Amino acid sequence: MMAGVGGGNDFQWCFSQVKGAIDEDVAEADIISTVEFNYSGELLATGDKGGRVVIFQREQESKNRLLSRGEYNVYSTFQSHEPEFDYLKSLEIEEKINKIRWLPQQNAAHFLLSANDKTIKLWKISERDKRAEGYNLKDEDGRLQDQFRITTLRVPVLMPMDLMVEASPRRIFANAHTYHINSISVNSDYETYLSADDLRINLWHLEITDRSFNIVDIKPANMEELTEVITAAECHPHQCNVFVYSSSKGTIRLCDMRAAALCDRHSKFFEEPEDPSSRSFFSEIISSISDVKFSHSGRYMMTRDYLSVKVWDLNMENRPVETYQVHEYLRSKLCSLYENDCIFDKFECCWNGSDSAIMTGSYNNFFRMFDRNTRRDITLEASRENSKPRAILKPRKVCTGGKRKKDEISVDSLDFNKKILHTAWHPKENVIAVAATNNLYIFQDKMN
Amino acid sequence: MSGEVEASTEEQQEIQDTVVSPEKTEEAKLKARYPHLGTKPGGSDLLRKRLQKGQKYFDSGDYNMAKAKMKNKQLPTAAAEKTEITGDHIPTPQDLPQRKQSLVASKLAV
């Protein structure tokens, strides 16, 4: 498998596809809120603020496709969540899909979990390409026949029909979260999954909807004493007893479910020491971790805070093994970023299939990739200006001061409304999906 | 004499800090614009605001105060400013901003 990333002469990213409307006026409901490939990479799911899920399927590779890999076409779309109002608590519940997680495929159907702020749903997506015809008791239109008028008996036969993809909600996991769900993660036992909100983490069994186990509870007895919240959580990819959760204070706790029923006491505590003299009003806010992801190998985990991505070795708690600056030039803009709330933007991050590269988003529809081996990094842009089929993406550069070179963009010209919060990397190939507000871009490596 | 030298060294260190750390410069900017900004920035206020996302009305105390006010006043029409409902009159389901359900298919699926 190719090593991935860019910067060198041997590897380049190309435009493949873009989905979504072109118009400038973006409806709030169309804003993409999550992107996720399934385990094989054959399917790509998106969720949006309007509570809708769209699943794309990669077309089969054929001999004709020499210059590019299969394209992703719409496979299924459905309304996952609706807006609700909790009258008892006087709380408006958004239909926005916060997270989608696929289950590993075990039969012909596909299953995924989708979550909004309060409810998680298990959806079954199945294909139907045959239909039974020749019923005895009902005619072709489905109307019931008068049974006394039937004189002969026939066996219905299965006839081919146009492929129909159906999505149906198989389980609804509700009423277990007082606060807003930020993460869901399927366990490697394929039987359980966890869901995390600001203060609690619950463990569910996929078959059981009327109860869940609370495994982490950081709610203080007196809410005035609240100092940190849970920002993300994930199950270990191989060890079904291990999970991690990150906090708004920039720390990560690894917990072992074998140790106790309630994992309030962590097994490992990851925190990078901070230089107290450099502490400012913004320190804690920008240290808040917005995403945590285990590497595929299970040996490392990656965290995203406002300005950087850090790779941690699970065997070393006192500091990350690698730190990558995403957009350090924003450090001198923190005042205005606080005023326009951008400082609270939650960027996600992801690994490539071989864990040799990582990717995360930034502003101005820029996204960044880091090669862990060569230490090269690249900044690319998701833009319709660069959307000719197989067009090679040109690296972008932000000018931080002094003379701006041609093709560079100055920090003050960055569009902070164009944020790339959600990206996904195909589990096996160099194909990436990048959500730019209401558009989904798919890029792939250049094939020679 | 030596006291003065020490003081100016400290001043220099402060200036040094501000020049060297863009973050501290930004902090000074923010405090200049919002002098009453809390001393515990990452603490309770911000977090509680985060936890209360989606909250439309305050609590039963709010409700009871509104009820007491209402005794002598006529109930304002539902056309009143929908975002400022808290505390002013007793909210009813009809007053709530109508959440339109997404009947339109996603534009990604076109």
Side-chain angles (χ1 to χ4, degrees), chain A residues 187-202:
Chain A
N187 204 344
S188 55
D189 63 11
Y190 300 163
E191 279 189 352
T192 58
Y193 75 94
L194 64 74
S195 59
D197 67 32
D198 292 312
L199 296 178
R200 299 191 178 101
I201 301 179
N202 295 328

Side-chain angles (χ1 to χ4, degrees), chain A residues 19 21 30 46 50 52 54 74 79 82 89-92 95 117 180 198 223-224 226-228 277 279-284 331-335 339 344, chain B residues 22-24 26-27 29-30 33-34 37-38 41-44 46-48 50-51 53-57 93 96 99-102 104-109:
Chain A
K19 313 259 180 208
D30 291 329
T46 61
R52 299 162 299 192
V54 182
V74 180
Q79 185 77 36
E82 303 270 13
K89 292 180 189 157
S90 197
L91 188 68
E92 194 164 58
E95 65 276 37
D117 281 341
H180 299 104
D198 292 312
M223 282 298 270
E224 301 272 315
L226 183 68
T227 55
E228 69 183 323
S277 66
R279 191 159 180 82
S280 77
F281 173 83
F282 303 110
S283 298
E284 194 171 303
R331 202 179 285 270
S332 52
K333 298 283 165 200
L334 292 177
C335 180
E339 289 181 299
F344 301 107
Chain B
E23 216 172 293
K24 293 233 167 98
E26 291 295 297
E27 179 177 15
K29 237 192 264 176
L30 195 70
R33 284 187 212 175
Y34 308 98
L37 206 53
S44 304
L46 268 174
L47 292 180
R48 252 183 281 134
R50 178 194 173 127
L51 295 182
K53 181 189 94 170
Q55 202 81 35
K56 279 273 163 279
Y57 309 106
L96 300 174
R99 294 302 321 279
K100 205 171 61 154
Q101 295 184 347
S102 295
V104 183
S106 166
K107 296 202 181 98
L108 293 181

Side-chain angles (χ1 to χ4, degrees), chain B residues 54-69:
Chain B
Q55 202 81 35
K56 279 273 163 279
Y57 309 106
F58 198 48
D59 59 11
S60 61
D62 202 30
Y63 176 89
N64 285 313
M65 272 180 63
K67 209 165 157 188
K69 268 191 218 159

Side-chain angles (χ1 to χ4, degrees), chain A residues 102-263:
Chain A
W102 290 93
L103 264 55
Q105 193 175 10
Q106 291 176 313
N107 52 40
H110 298 276
F111 289 86
L112 61 78
L113 289 169
S114 67
N116 73 344
D117 281 341
K118 296 286 178 182
T119 305
I120 305 129
K121 295 187 184 180
L122 176 70
W123 288 88
K124 176 181 179 182
I125 297 106
S126 48
E127 291 183 4
R128 192 198 288 257
D129 63 354
K130 287 187 259 295
R131 171 179 57 211
E133 281 176 22
Y135 284 96
N136 292 289
L137 293 176
K138 54 181 178 174
D139 66 15
E140 294 309 315
D141 297 326
R143 282 180 297 219
L144 288 172
Q145 299 271 46
D146 179 7
Q147 52 183 307
F148 296 104
R149 292 177 59 195
I150 297 169
T151 52
T152 59
L153 205 59
R154 59 184 176 174
V155 178
V157 286
L158 287 175
M159 300 295 289
M161 60 179 257
D162 287 339
L163 178 68
M164 212 166 74
V165 182
E166 300 171 319
S168 59
R170 305 302 290 174
R171 305 269 187 281
I172 296 178
F173 304 93
N175 302 321
H177 285 280
T178 307
Y179 302 97
H180 299 104
I181 297 173
N182 53 56
S183 312
I184 49 175
S185 180
V186 182
N187 204 344
S188 55
D189 63 11
Y190 300 163
E191 279 189 352
T192 58
Y193 75 94
L194 64 74
S195 59
D197 67 32
D198 292 312
L199 296 178
R200 299 191 178 101
I201 301 179
N202 295 328
L203 184 72
W204 302 83
H205 191 286
L206 285 164
E207 300 287 332
I208 299 168
T209 57
D210 63 354
R211 81 198 86 149
S212 70
F213 288 102
N214 175 243
I215 53 177
V216 173
D217 188 340
I218 65 166
K219 184 178 178 190
N222 178 5
M223 282 298 270
E224 301 272 315
E225 290 164 21
L226 183 68
T227 55
E228 69 183 323
V229 293
I230 296 168
T231 52
E234 198 179 45
C235 291
H236 191 277
H238 312 307
Q239 296 168 36
C240 58
N241 52 299
V242 173
F243 67 94
V244 291
Y245 68 93
S246 59
S247 85
S248 52
K249 276 186 159 178
T251 64
I252 309 102
R253 287 169 178 81
L254 183 142
C255 301
D256 186 334
M257 289 190 274
R258 297 171 303 186
L262 190 58
C263 297

